[in-house]
Amino acid sequence: MTQLLDKPLESKAPPAPAERTARRRAFLEWIAVHSLGVAAALFFTLPFLFVLLTSFMSDSQALSRDLIPHTWEWDNYRRVFDTPGFLTWWRNTLCYAVLGTALTVISSIPVAYALAKFRFRGRNLALMLVISMMMLPPQVIIIPMYLFWAKQLDLSGTLWPLIIPMAFGDAFSIFLLRQFLTTIPDEYLDAARVDGCGELRTLLKVVLPMAKPGMAAVALFQFFYAWNDYFGPQIYASENPGAWTLSYGLESFKGAHHTDWNLTMAATVLVMAPVILVFFFAQKAFVEGVTLTGVKG
């Protein structure tokens, strides 16, 4: 006990100036990084929050200086569903997005597989043609395409001119899948061929199970495109309200002299909700598929 009392107490030395500077710098970097993250989150969230709050406002309060509804008009969503044709637009959009996505994925996989794993003369030229088609704006070919579908096949006023071409592949989907399939080692394919699998069986049994993230990314891209497509339905289906989609049908909420902005915002929320839900549940496969497409070129 006497020895413990005689032993001088060790005082903790204050941190060196270099250590204090490093801590201060790390703290400031933490604040900067998180501040940018919060600012970016607000940048993308505030417009959606504005649309959501406006959808619960009365017609007189919509687009006023008041950002919070005085009374929460839940009846706005019922009025949207009571709008003539809204459920038809919903059904048309769902058919266009789901059927078009399925056709795009099914038709793009064989082409991407051939460009990624087959060795043939002209493969690089074919890949360049696919990339060049990605750079071609759809407005450039809309006139001859419209004349073909409307005059030759008499399919104007329907969504079939937008759905049928997806059965022949999509340049962006082919390129994205090709980039993903190049990350699959050739040894797996060679082992399947040694076991007696043909190319079709190798594709179905070996490649497709390993390519699920890439297929999910392509499917989500195509689904989002079809769900939000405004240009295509405007060209082919504008003359037939029974073939309108949600994105084009939103125009009907705008009148010549008055616009019900609260109903327009409520309809907009209903249009965005399925896309947000699909991305929320499939974001893991989507991010993985997009990330792995750049691993090997």
Side-chain angles (χ1 to χ4, degrees):
M1 184 67 182
T2 306
Q3 295 178 354
L4 294 176
L5 292 176
D6 294 340
K7 185 178 181 180
L9 297 176
E10 296 180 359
S11 59
K12 187 176 181 181
E19 184 178 355
R20 290 198 301 268
T21 303
R23 290 181 179 179
R24 188 181 301 110
R25 181 179 302 172
F27 179 70
L28 293 177
E29 290 178 354
W30 185 89
I31 293 178
V33 170
H34 287 76
S35 299
L36 292 176
V38 171
L42 291 176
F43 179 79
F44 290 103
T45 305
L46 288 179
F48 176 77
L49 185 61
F50 171 78
V51 172
L52 182 63
L53 291 177
T54 306
S55 68
F56 290 106
M57 294 181 180
S58 61
D59 183 38
S60 59
Q61 187 189 355
L63 299 187
S64 64
R65 294 184 177 180
D66 299 325
L67 299 179
I68 305 299
H70 297 162
T71 58
W72 294 82
E73 301 289 342
W74 298 91
D75 191 58
N76 289 342
Y77 287 88
R78 183 193 61 80
R79 294 170 61 188
V80 169
F81 277 104
D82 290 342
T83 302
F86 186 79
L87 292 179
T88 301
W89 305 338
W90 189 282
R91 184 183 67 248
N92 294 338
T93 306
L94 190 63
C95 178
Y96 174 30
V98 173
L99 187 57
T101 300
L103 291 175
T104 299
V105 174
I106 293 173
S107 59
S108 300
I109 286 175
V111 183
Y113 176 63
L115 292 176
K117 296 302 181 182
F118 289 177
R119 300 293 184 267
F120 58 90
R121 181 176 298 177
R123 187 182 69 159
N124 293 332
L125 178 60
L127 181 60
M128 291 178 60
L129 290 176
V130 171
I131 296 176
S132 64
M133 291 300 298
M134 292 171 52
M135 302 178 183
L136 186 65
Q139 291 79 5
V140 174
I141 59 174
I142 191 62
I143 293 178
M145 292 295 294
Y146 179 81
L147 293 177
F148 173 75
W149 291 108
K151 303 301 181 182
Q152 301 297 326
L153 300 181
D154 194 23
L155 290 177
S156 61
T158 68
L159 294 175
W160 289 114
L162 301 174
I163 297 175
I164 295 176
M166 297 182 184
F168 300 95
D170 173 71
F172 176 75
S173 301
I174 292 172
F175 177 75
L176 192 64
L177 280 172
R178 184 261 176 190
Q179 293 298 103
F180 184 87
L181 293 180
T182 56
T183 63
I184 299 177
D186 294 336
E187 288 76 9
Y188 291 102
L189 281 66
D190 295 336
R193 296 186 183 108
V194 170
D195 290 339
C197 293
E199 293 298 338
L200 180 59
R201 190 176 179 184
T202 301
L203 174 62
L204 296 177
K205 298 296 183 179
V206 179
V207 176
L208 293 188
M210 301 178 66
K212 287 181 180 179
M215 295 168 56
V218 168
L220 286 176
F221 272 123
Q222 187 61 38
F223 183 85
F224 294 160
Y225 167 78
W227 188 272
N228 298 317
D229 187 17
Y230 177 85
F231 179 73
Q234 182 187 31
I235 296 298
Y236 293 106
S238 59
E239 61 189 58
N240 180 17
W244 288 1
T245 59
L246 287 172
S247 58
Y248 187 74
L250 286 177
E251 286 288 333
S252 64
F253 288 91
K254 296 182 180 180
H257 304 287
H258 178 71
T259 300
D260 295 326
W261 287 110
N262 55 337
L263 299 184
T264 302
M265 296 302 180
T268 303
V269 171
L270 293 175
V271 173
M272 292 189 300
V275 177
I276 296 175
L277 291 176
V278 169
F279 181 78
F280 178 79
F281 287 106
Q283 60 178 329
K284 181 178 180 180
F286 176 76
V287 173
E288 183 180 357
V290 173
T291 302
L292 292 180
T293 53
V295 174
K296 182 179 179 182

